[in-house]
Amino acid sequence: MLANLLAAKGAFVGGWFVFLFVGERLFRAAPPPSSHKRVFRNAGLWLLTIVFSVGVVAPMTAWGVNQSLWDRPGWMIAGAAGAGFILLDLIILDCWVYWLHRAYHKVPVMWRLHEVHHRDEFLDTTSAMRFHITEILLSASLRLILIAVLAIPLLTVILFETILLFVSFFHHSNLRLPGKLERVLSLFVVTPSIHWVHHRAKTSDTNSNYAACLSVWDRVFRSKSSTKRMTGMKIGLQDLEDKGFIGLLVMPFRGSSI
């Protein structure tokens, strides 16, 4: 069952990535760097992430689901009530990711891992899965706490991961959207205009706009930046440059920019 679910997830997410990858090159919001080195660097981190996620994180998550602290009664998993609890689980997981993301920016040892993601000096769909595998492992481990306490079903977890990747590819993308459409979407979900500000090379903006899927969390928890996305805004980290592939792999173990 797990293999089939992962295959379906991979097919949907892969198709969405190709759609956005092509789209952002036909309808780009900002001119990309002339060098393709960062794309290949990101692709290397992607490959490690995919192999690690399939080989380690997915089995660990399936195991975690089986360690739930209680079993949900039938009325909570069937019919309209079941659909309602699935929606509630998705909202809770998204809120959890918001606070986890915020912690990665505030806790020095966690920032050392997350900094790899923020060193990218341009944003497009290849940035969406540019993470250090140690961060992937830590995030999955901390999420297991929530899964165990709430007895969240495996299918719901994989559904959330699929939605999270869909939105992550979208809000990292260099896709040019009609202004009115993006303004309407940004009221509900995180869009490029929101997330590009989070990756702006200015510390006050880097430490804002933490939401992953639903944009409401930054408004509710007062972490929304007032900065508007501008063409040509500097992406990355203030006063810091990106590193090569090996440099990014060893960087968390050599210190932090904090």
Side-chain angles (χ1 to χ4, degrees), residues 4 40 43 55 61 91 97 108 116 170 190 197 204 245 247 252:
N4 291 335
F40 290 111
T61 300
I91 293 173
V97 170
V116 171
F170 172 61
V190 180
V197 172
S204 58
F245 179 71

Side-chain angles (χ1 to χ4, degrees), residues 158-191:
I158 293 179
L159 176 61
F160 175 73
E161 290 176 346
T162 303
I163 294 171
L164 181 61
L165 285 172
F166 263 62
V167 179
S168 184
F169 283 135
F170 172 61
H171 65 229
H172 282 93
S173 75
N174 186 30
L175 187 66
R176 185 178 74 250
L177 298 173
K180 186 174 182 179
L181 173 61
E182 182 147 10
R183 284 193 296 273
V184 172
L185 287 176
S186 67
L187 296 174
F188 307 99
V189 298
V190 180
T191 63

